[in-house]
Amino acid sequence: MERNSSQFLMTMDEVMLLLQKNNSSVIIMDVDGVIRLCNQTFILQTGYAREDVVHKSIKQIIPNMKDVRFWITDYFESIHSNQPYRENRSIIVQMRNKTSQSSEYSIEKLQCTDDNQLYMLTFLDMNLYNGLNLFHRFSDSFMKDVNLGVILINTEFRLIDISDMACQVLGFVREEVMNQPMDVVFKGVPIDHQLVQRTILHGHTVRNHAFSWTSNDIRYELLMDSNLLKDETGAIVGGYVIFKDVSNLRSLEEQVQRSDRLSMIGQIAAGTAHEIRNPLTSIKGFLQVLKKTFKTKGMDKEFGYTEIMLTEIDRINQLVSEFLLLSKPKNVIFELMDISKVFREILPIIHNEAILHGVVVEYITEGTLPDVLGDRELFKQVCLNISKNGIEAMTEGGILTIVERVDSEEKKVNIDIHDSGPGIPSFLIDKIFDPFFTTKENGTGLGLSICQRIVLDLGGTIRVASKGFGTTFTISIPFSES
Ligand SMILES: Nc1ncnc2c1ncn2[C@@H]1O[C@H](COP(=O)(O)OP(=O)(O)OP(=O)(O)O)[C@@H](O)[C@H]1O
Ligand SMILES: [Mg+2]
């Protein structure tokens, strides 16, 4: 727009247009230094929001300015000119984040129709704009896109900003928690379990602190850092917490540990189980001889005792066999198997067990499943063990639902075994795969650890989900497309 401000008066709309068109950072102020308008570049450059500056004094932006009226009018009145005035010295501009930058500037006098006299102050240092613009864009995208939880707090322990990922993991709605005191944000969470501790404002630095957080029934394993934020004089202005979701890494680590533990127990088991079985076999043999003798001599009481002893020996034998399975089974027969077919073979056994407990079994299949490689007998044992656990967890009227499905993307066959029992409390869920962990009076606690061993050997996984009530075990076995 070609114009000479001394020749005609501009409307406010024209002033606005002038501002928008300008690539530099521009503010419009009156003769008292009250800011009337600013452009988008100025917002990006300084970090201020429009409402932070409009109707405020220019001294907020240029703090070391002395007499505004004098400074603005000095040049124009002394030389009686309305031409733009470019000053080659720099002024110090204070950004919203309290850092300062120096910038050259020009002032232009604008004659407006609906205001007496306005001045346009243009910050001319484009490097400053580029650098800061980049920084603002980085910090914006850091809060929005980066896969990190970020929380900023001020000295009053209020939440000043929070990244999208932090909202997602913590189950917060950004607008609801912004500017809230942290005690309100973490209301209901015991003080030791609050992710952001007031102590960061006392200079308590945290590095790589492992922390668990559960929201919407999903448990996250987090690794967090927190520290103070200080201004250039060293005064504390707030603090930040940054965290990373390491749930996958943790579960991998736990799987490795569990697998190590299992193989150690397996080795011990393999070594000792045979040694237990051998004497048991001879004890059992002699007991059978005794049993016969007691019978022929009519010694009914003693005969009864031998029967009990023999049943107990069978129990020990059974336990030792299970124990042996913990070591890598030696005669595993790998063959291509149709999971549906294998499952249908054990379904009658599951039904019988269900009838004994007064529960119902539902079996849902997607039809033809791809064949997977594995040992059918061991695979049957896994499905039986997990189904038995589900049935045992339910009272009369419960429903055990078995669903077979294909995950074509991950190339896996999944079997969900869901029960409508009481569920597994979250503090126990990590322990159920440990050998000898049981909550049952007559349980060995070996069932799930054996299942885990077998499925890991097939290159698969067993996952468990329990939300309040009901439990789903998912057995996933990979298949390869032929
Ligand atoms: N479906 C389920 N619902 C609730 N708790 C379960 C379920 N499955 C397993 N658990 C818990 O996990 C524990 C360990 O199971 P695991 O099969 O290893 O041993 P167990 O069933 O106790 O003993 P065993 O298998 O020798 O009979 C159980 O004692 C139970 O507390
Ligand atoms: Mg069991």
Side-chain angles (χ1 to χ4, degrees):
M1 183 172 21
E2 274 300 314
R3 68 197 168 78
N4 181 339
S5 46
S6 60
Q7 283 170 1
F8 62 85
L9 298 175
M10 289 172 80
T11 64
M12 268 325 248
D13 284 346
E14 284 173 323
V15 175
M16 292 264 223
L17 203 64
L18 193 67
L19 234 65
Q20 280 163 15
K21 280 188 163 179
N22 204 322
N23 286 329
S24 298
S25 207
V26 179
I27 55 177
I28 305 279
M29 61 187 175
D30 65 18
V31 71
D32 292 314
V34 175
I35 299 169
R36 296 293 179 86
L37 295 168
C38 66
N39 69 354
Q40 182 62 18
T41 316
F42 176 84
I43 301 285
L44 284 171
Q45 177 182 353
T46 59
Y48 289 105
R50 223 168 279 276
E51 54 273 21
D52 290 340
V53 287
V54 172
H55 302 308
K56 305 279 165 56
S57 164
I58 183 69
K59 283 196 173 188
Q60 186 183 326
I61 317 292
I62 308 165
N64 59 350
M65 186 186 293
K66 291 183 191 100
D67 185 335
V68 179
R69 187 179 274 265
F70 176 76
W71 176 70
I72 297 172
T73 54
D74 184 28
Y75 173 80
F76 298 104
E77 280 168 17
S78 60
I79 63 164
H80 303 289
S81 163
N82 282 331
Q83 291 307 305
Y85 165 66
R86 182 180 174 143
E87 170 67 74
N88 288 326
R89 279 179 303 132
S90 294
I91 41 168
I92 301 294
V93 185
Q94 174 148 320
M95 308 290 134
R96 181 175 179 256
N97 65 6
K98 305 278 186 240
T99 59
S100 320
Q101 300 279 339
S102 65
S103 173
E104 289 182 10
Y105 65 95
S106 75
I107 301 183
E108 194 173 340
K109 199 172 179 180
L110 308 173
Q111 299 293 94
C112 289
T113 47
D114 43 2
D115 215 314
N116 301 335
Q117 184 63 67
L118 291 178
Y119 296 88
M120 182 162 88
L121 179 61
T122 309
F123 299 89
L124 296 164
D125 195 334
M126 290 308 284
N127 287 336
L128 178 72
Y129 164 69
N130 286 337
L132 270 171
N133 190 20
L134 204 64
F135 178 76
H136 284 301
R137 285 194 193 288
F138 168 71
S139 70
D140 277 357
S141 88
F142 192 74
M143 294 309 254
K144 282 203 182 73
D145 313 329
V146 170
N147 194 20
L148 280 176
V150 184
I151 296 176
L152 294 180
I153 56 161
N154 67 5
T155 46
E156 290 161 24
F157 205 48
R158 273 177 191 271
L159 188 144
I160 296 306
D161 211 346
I162 181 163
S163 69
D164 287 3
M165 185 273 211
C167 287
Q168 187 208 327
V169 167
L170 303 176
F172 293 163
V173 175
R174 192 167 189 277
E175 293 67 35
E176 285 175 8
V177 292
M178 284 291 281
N179 270 320
Q180 292 295 319
M182 296 308 285
D183 308 317
V184 174
V185 172
F186 289 109
K187 203 172 153 208
V189 180
I191 201 122
D192 288 344
H193 295 273
Q194 295 183 0
L195 189 79
V196 185
Q197 299 286 330
R198 195 177 274 274
T199 47
I200 62 169
L201 291 177
H202 304 148
H204 180 72
T205 310
V206 171
R207 288 274 174 267
N208 287 330
H209 177 60
F211 199 87
S212 298
W213 184 269
T214 307
S215 71
N216 296 330
D217 291 323
I218 301 174
R219 184 181 152 140
Y220 295 94
E221 300 295 337
L222 310 174
L223 209 57
M224 65 177 233
D225 284 4
S226 68
N227 208 348
L228 279 177
L229 288 169
K230 293 181 180 171
D231 67 10
E232 53 282 357
T233 66
I236 298 169
V237 290
Y240 68 86
V241 171
I242 294 186
F243 59 83
K244 196 168 174 53
D245 178 7
V246 290
S247 310
N248 287 345
L249 283 179
R250 281 293 290 272
S251 75
L252 211 65
E253 194 184 16
E254 275 166 19
Q255 240 177 49
V256 171
Q257 279 176 3
R258 188 170 290 135
S259 172
D260 278 357
R261 254 198 329 263
L262 275 179
S263 76
M264 190 190 73
I265 290 175
Q267 283 162 11
I268 300 171
T272 51
H274 283 293
E275 298 310 309
I276 297 171
R277 264 189 175 171
N278 289 344
L280 271 186
T281 317
S282 42
I283 294 172
K284 193 173 170 183
F286 286 125
L287 265 179
Q288 274 160 344
V289 177
L290 278 180
K291 191 174 145 189
K292 252 192 200 155
T293 319
F294 289 145
K295 186 153 194 193
T296 45
K297 295 212 165 154
M299 296 168 74
D300 291 346
K301 211 164 80 186
E302 286 76 5
F303 175 80
Y305 290 156
T306 49
E307 275 210 317
I308 296 171
M309 286 160 93
L310 281 168
T311 335
E312 292 298 299
I313 285 176
D314 281 345
R315 256 176 59 129
I316 298 175
N317 253 328
Q318 175 73 20
L319 189 69
V320 171
S321 311
E322 284 197 16
F323 211 41
L324 262 177
L325 265 176
L326 271 178
S327 64
K328 208 174 164 81
K330 298 209 168 42
N331 50 350
V332 185
I333 305 164
F334 275 100
E335 56 186 334
L336 274 178
M337 54 177 183
D338 174 351
I339 286 193
S340 275
K341 208 165 145 205
V342 177
F343 218 105
R344 261 175 260 129
E345 284 170 24
I346 54 166
L347 214 51
I349 311 176
I350 300 175
H351 269 300
N352 276 346
E353 187 78 20
I355 290 165
L356 280 177
H357 286 80
V359 304
V360 183
V361 180
E362 275 179 2
Y363 172 63
I364 303 162
T365 178
E366 275 187 356
T368 334
L369 302 176
D371 285 351
V372 299
L373 202 60
D375 183 305
R376 1 173 4 110
E377 295 311 313
L378 290 178
F379 181 73
K380 278 184 194 170
Q381 194 181 339
V382 173
C383 300
L384 271 177
N385 263 331
I386 294 179
S387 303
K388 193 163 157 270
N389 276 349
I391 292 170
E392 284 170 355
M394 292 184 284
T395 45
E396 260 192 56
I399 303 173
L400 186 81
T401 317
I402 300 161
V403 183
E404 289 171 357
R405 56 196 169 87
V406 187
D407 183 344
S408 326
E409 226 165 77
E410 298 270 318
K411 293 209 172 64
K412 279 178 181 162
V413 174
N414 291 330
I415 297 147
D416 297 321
I417 301 178
H418 172 81
D419 65 69
S420 57
I424 305 172
S426 56
F427 61 94
L428 287 186
I429 211 143
D430 286 342
K431 298 195 170 67
I432 59 169
F433 289 98
D434 286 349
F436 305 111
F437 174 79
T438 181
T439 52
K440 297 171 192 168
E441 212 171 306
N442 293 317
T444 63
L446 288 174
L448 283 177
S449 49
I450 289 170
C451 293
Q452 177 97 316
R453 162 94 274 157
I454 295 172
V455 174
L456 282 181
D457 283 349
L458 296 182
T461 53
I462 304 181
R463 279 169 293 136
V464 57
S466 195
K467 298 178 183 174
F469 65 92
T471 306
T472 308
F473 279 86
T474 303
I475 309 163
S476 301
I477 315 275
F479 66 85
S480 58
E481 273 161 332
S482 47

